[in-house]
Amino acid sequence: MLRVNRLLGSRHEFTVRTKFAAAWPSGPDPRSINPSTIYRWEAGSSAIPHSAVRRYEELLELAPGRLVAAFDYELRANRPMIESAPALARDHQVEPRTLDRRLDAYLDRVCAPAVMTGCDWDDLTELLATRPAAYLPGRAWREIAQRLLAEMLVACGQAWLQRFEAVNRLLAHPAAQGELIDACAVAAADRDNQVMISTMAALGHSNHRDSISVLLRQLTNPTDDRALWGTLSALFEAATLKQLNPDQRRRATRTLREIAAAGGPLGSMADEILQALWTLTGPVAIGCAGRQYSLRGPVSLVAQRVAHAAAAALATAPETFTDDVFPQLVEELLFDPSEEARLEVSMLIAASPYRSGIAQALSSELRRGRTLTGDPERSGTLLSALRMVGGSPERSLIERIVLADGLPGPTVSVAAYAIGHFTPVPPASWWDSAISKHLADWHRSKSPTSLAALRGLAYSAGVTGSQTPLQRLKTDPTTPLAARAAATWWKNQPTYITTSAQL
C-alpha cells in the first residue's frame, strides 16, 4: 500500500525513492532517512512505525489517518491473537504527564458530550490500550463503550474504520471489554436497531467468553434476519480464529447444521462456518495481506476486466510499474465468501490511488449488457463493491438505479442502501422522487423488495444526516411500519453522535 500510494499518487517527483527520502525531514523530527529504509518498509521486510505512516500521509498530501486507519485494520485482521494495543505501534515522544493530560481531555469530551472525530477515537483508545491498568470509574468506561459503539453504527468510510479499530482495542482491554460486550448485546437485542451487522461484527474478533455467548444467543434466537446474518459473519471470523472452546463449538454446530440444511445464502454461510469450526488447525491469519496470492486460483474474467480498466485509468503510473497483486485483490473484493475479507480489501483499495479507477471500472461493468436487468446476485456484488470505493462521478448511476423501473427488486434495494456512501448527498428533489416511487411500489405490490428499498433509503438518509427525507418517512401515514421504525431510529440518534460520526 505504501509503494502504490508513493508511485501512483499526485506527487510525481516521489516516484524516485531518493527524492522521497530527501523530502522526509520535517517539523519536530528533522532526522533524515535512507532510501533503503523506504524500500524495506514498502517491501514489508521491515516494520514501519506509526510516525512514518503519518509522514507518508503528509508528503503524499493525504487526509490525516487515511493510511493509518487502513494499516491498523489490516494488521489487526492478520493477527491471530487478540490484543488491545494496535500492531502499528505509536512512538510517543512526549512526557508521560503530557499523555495523561491528553487522556483527561478526551474523557471530558466523551462525557460532556462534545464532538469526537475518528482521529480522536484512535488517539484515545491507543492511550487506553497502552495503559491496561489505568483506573477509570465504572461509569466512565460505560460512557466510552456506549458512545463509541453508537458512533460506529452510524458512521461509514474512514470514520467507521477508525471507530471499528477503536472498538476492537477496547474489546481486548481488561477494564473496558465487559462494558463494550454489554453495549453490543443490548444493541443486538434492540429490534429497532438498523445496523445489526456492524453490531455483531466486532464480537467476532473478541476471544472473551461473554462475546461468544452473545453470538451463540443470537444464533439460536436471533432478534431478526439482519441480526442472524451479522451473527453468522461474526461467527465465521471467530471460528477462523479458533475462538470457540469445545462446548461452544458443539452448541454452535447443532444450530448451524439446521441453517445449512435450509439452504440459501445463510445456509452457504453456515457451511463455511462449520468447515472453519472443525478444521483441526490453530488460529490462522484471515486478512488479505497474509495470503499468498501467487498460490490462489485463477482470477475470473470479470475481476480481470475490472482490474485492467482500473489500472488503465491511472494517469500517473510510471512506465515500469507493475502490480501483480491488484487483480487478485479485485477478485477477492468481488467474490471472496467472507464478508470480512471483502470489506478488508475494499478498505485497502479505498486508501489507494486505485480508488477512482476501480470505481469507474465497476460502474462500466454495471452498465455492461444486461448486468442490471439480469442476475441480481451479480449486480448486487458489483454495487456492494462500488459503494465502498465510489464517489461523486458514480453517484448519478446509483440514483438512476434507485429510480428505475423494470430492474430486479434486490438490485434496487442494494442501491438504496448504497447511495448513502456516495458524495455529495443527493438533492432534496431526488429524495422526494425516490420515496414517492417506492411508497407507490409498496402499496401496489406489498413486495419485500419494495420495503427493503424504503428501509435502504432510511439508512442512506441517516448516514448522510439528511433529516428531511427521514422526517417524511417517519411521519407519512402511508409509510409501512418497518420503514417508519427505521426512520424513527435514525431520527432518534443524538446530534452529537451523528455529527461526530461524519468526522
Side-chain angles (χ1 to χ4, degrees):
M1 183 165 58
L2 294 174
R3 174 176 174 267
V4 165
N5 273 280
R6 178 176 63 81
L7 293 180
L8 304 182
S10 60
R11 299 290 299 272
H12 307 315
E13 67 273 25
F14 289 156
T15 59
V16 180
R17 198 161 46 242
T18 53
K19 292 184 178 180
F20 189 62
W24 191 271
S26 177
D29 187 7
R31 292 174 294 181
S32 61
I33 192 167
N34 195 296
S36 64
T37 301
I38 293 173
Y39 174 82
R40 290 193 298 273
W41 284 342
E42 294 181 354
S45 58
S46 179
I48 184 170
H50 170 266
S51 59
V53 180
R54 284 286 296 116
R55 188 64 182 138
Y56 266 81
E57 292 175 344
E58 293 165 357
L59 288 174
L60 299 176
E61 300 173 352
L62 303 175
R66 178 173 172 178
L67 293 180
V68 170
F71 257 82
D72 281 335
Y73 185 84
E74 171 69 5
L75 291 171
R76 185 169 295 279
N78 280 285
R79 282 194 296 175
M81 299 305 291
I82 306 300
E83 300 174 19
S84 184
L88 185 62
R90 275 53 171 171
D91 40 351
H92 297 296
Q93 298 178 1
V94 297
E95 294 276 339
R97 190 179 305 171
T98 301
L99 296 178
D100 290 338
R101 285 197 293 268
R102 200 157 82 207
L103 177 59
D104 288 342
Y106 283 133
L107 293 175
D108 286 343
R109 288 166 61 188
V110 169
C111 299
V115 169
M116 289 282 289
T117 68
C119 290
D120 291 338
W121 281 112
D122 171 53
D123 199 23
L124 168 58
T125 54
E126 191 274 334
L127 291 170
L128 292 171
T130 54
R131 290 164 171 73
Y135 172 77
L136 294 179
R139 181 186 170 206
W141 286 117
R142 192 172 308 115
E143 291 196 27
I144 291 170
Q146 292 175 352
R147 174 163 180 184
L148 174 58
L149 179 64
E151 287 188 22
M152 185 194 79
L153 294 183
V154 300
C156 60
Q158 180 179 315
W160 178 87
L161 193 60
Q162 290 171 313
R163 287 165 175 82
F164 186 72
E165 164 64 15
V167 163
N168 275 278
R169 293 174 192 171
L170 295 191
L171 278 171
H173 192 288
Q177 58 189 181
E179 294 292 350
L180 197 46
I181 292 169
D182 286 348
C184 288
V186 170
D190 179 7
R191 293 189 176 277
D192 292 329
N193 181 2
Q194 297 301 302
V195 201
M196 281 292 189
I197 293 178
S198 284
T199 302
M200 307 307 299
L203 295 177
H205 288 258
S206 170
N207 62 352
H208 194 283
R209 179 184 178 89
D210 289 347
S211 290
I212 305 301
S213 295
V214 173
L215 292 177
L216 294 179
R217 194 157 59 242
Q218 283 293 329
L219 179 67
T220 56
N221 186 26
T223 302
D224 57 25
D225 289 344
R226 294 169 300 129
L228 179 57
W229 185 272
T231 298
L232 291 175
S233 297
L235 274 175
F236 180 82
E237 307 310 323
T240 305
L241 291 170
K242 307 302 175 190
Q243 306 282 36
L244 281 71
N245 64 35
D247 178 61
Q248 292 168 336
R249 209 160 51 233
R250 284 191 294 271
R251 290 169 55 198
T253 297
R254 288 194 294 270
T255 305
L256 287 168
R257 283 175 175 164
E258 295 174 3
I259 297 172
L266 291 177
S268 298
M269 190 179 293
D271 272 330
E272 294 275 350
I273 299 169
L274 286 167
Q275 292 179 34
L277 277 176
W278 296 103
T279 299
L280 300 179
T281 59
V284 295
I286 59 175
C288 60
R291 294 176 179 156
Q292 299 297 317
Y293 287 100
S294 59
L295 301 179
R296 288 169 64 85
V299 176
S300 66
L301 287 175
V302 173
Q304 287 183 44
R305 196 160 56 233
V306 170
H308 291 161
L314 293 168
T316 59
E319 290 183 7
T320 57
F321 176 78
T322 59
D323 189 348
D324 297 331
V325 170
F326 183 58
Q328 185 64 64
L329 284 174
V330 177
E331 174 76 13
E332 192 163 349
L333 171 70
L334 296 175
F335 302 118
D336 195 288
S338 166
E339 189 167 355
E340 180 83 5
R342 295 196 303 273
L343 177 63
E344 182 187 345
V345 172
S346 74
M347 293 300 179
L348 290 177
I349 293 174
S352 79
Y354 284 121
R355 178 173 188 158
S356 60
I358 200 168
Q360 294 174 34
L362 290 168
S363 295
S364 297
E365 197 67 30
L366 281 165
R367 294 186 178 98
R368 183 184 178 91
R370 293 174 51 83
T371 300
L372 285 173
T373 57
D375 181 8
E377 184 175 350
R378 177 188 173 97
S379 58
T381 295
L382 295 167
L383 283 167
S384 295
L386 182 58
R387 75 171 184 153
M388 305 306 297
V389 297
S392 179
E394 294 73 42
R395 193 199 73 187
S396 61
L397 171 63
I398 308 302
E399 289 178 345
R400 291 197 298 273
I401 292 172
V402 174
L403 294 177
D405 292 318
L407 297 184
T411 300
V412 175
S413 62
V414 172
Y417 275 96
I419 192 69
H421 292 256
F422 292 80
T423 56
V425 178
S429 58
W430 181 86
W431 288 109
D432 283 341
S433 298
I435 292 173
S436 295
K437 169 185 167 47
H438 290 290
L439 281 176
D441 287 349
W442 160 254
H443 288 292
R444 182 172 58 253
S445 67
K446 296 294 190 293
S447 72
T449 53
S450 297
L451 178 58
L454 287 167
R455 292 180 67 169
L457 290 171
Y459 167 86
S460 289
V463 296
T464 56
S466 303
Q467 295 299 315
T468 301
L470 285 176
Q471 183 67 19
R472 178 179 173 185
L473 286 168
K474 177 184 175 182
T475 58
D476 190 327
T478 66
T479 303
L481 185 60
R484 193 181 308 167
T488 301
W489 185 87
W490 283 102
K491 286 284 290 180
N492 287 343
Q493 299 305 304
T495 301
Y496 68 88
I497 294 291
T498 55
T499 300
S500 295
Q502 301 282 330
L503 304 173

